[in-house]
Amino acid sequence: MLRSLAVGLLSGVIAVPLLWIQRGEGFEHARLAALMALDMGQFVGVSVGLVVGFVLTATGRWSRTPGYVLGTITAAFGVLVATQALPTMSWVDGRPSGLGDPDGESFMAFLALASGGFTTLVGLSIVLWRWSGYDPRTAPVKGRRRR
């Protein structure tokens, strides 16, 4: 289920060009629009990803442990989103001109910060579970060679 959750969180990027709603000019407005589109995309992506992951896990077609690469990419993506959401929150709280609803925009930036933190935790938990070797199919057995 962690794999499907990570893929759902990462798939939110697909919605960024589709749901782009930029209200003003400049980098700050573009960053806010990207974070808002990412939030909406992750809402749909995580829902679909969890349903697909549940079905694949229940049927036994997806039993392998997620790998280091997925965990690392997910954690790095979460850090990137969180580091972009923090300055956006302080920028929106400064009441810039050109924003329709500063409270709503501030809430969306807060959701992006929470999403970035959660995505980082999911990525780190994938890496830690893989590293701990909880699944005997993924952990090398000491003293024996694998063929």
Side-chain angles (χ1 to χ4, degrees), residues 35-57:
L35 288 174
M36 286 174 30
L38 180 70
D39 284 342
M40 291 182 273
Q42 282 181 338
F43 180 74
V44 172
V46 167
S47 302
V48 170
L50 286 177
V51 167
V52 168
F54 180 73
V55 168
L56 290 175
T57 303

Side-chain angles (χ1 to χ4, degrees), residues 86-106:
L86 276 173
T88 302
M89 283 178 57
S90 54
W91 175 73
V92 169
D93 288 341
R95 305 280 188 224
S97 62
L99 288 177
D101 178 22
D103 293 333
E105 313 284 346
S106 181

Side-chain angles (χ1 to χ4, degrees), residues 19-138:
L19 300 174
W20 191 273
I21 303 170
Q22 187 172 349
R23 295 191 179 187
E25 296 294 322
F27 177 72
E28 299 294 334
H29 288 278
R31 180 167 52 189
L32 178 63
L35 288 174
M36 286 174 30
L38 180 70
D39 284 342
M40 291 182 273
Q42 282 181 338
F43 180 74
V44 172
V46 167
S47 302
V48 170
L50 286 177
V51 167
V52 168
F54 180 73
V55 168
L56 290 175
T57 303
T59 60
R61 295 180 186 227
W62 207 359
S63 61
R64 209 179 92 213
T65 308
Y68 290 113
V69 174
L70 179 65
T72 304
I73 289 172
T74 305
F77 179 72
V79 168
L80 176 71
V81 170
T83 57
Q84 294 304 306
L86 276 173
T88 302
M89 283 178 57
S90 54
W91 175 73
V92 169
D93 288 341
R95 305 280 188 224
S97 62
L99 288 177
D101 178 22
D103 293 333
E105 313 284 346
S106 181
F107 180 70
M108 291 301 284
F110 175 75
L111 279 180
L113 177 64
S115 169
F118 182 70
T119 305
T120 303
L121 288 176
V122 167
L124 289 177
S125 66
I126 289 173
V127 169
L128 287 175
W129 276 29
R130 181 68 183 223
W131 181 68
S132 71
Y134 81 99
D135 188 0
R137 293 176 292 178
T138 60

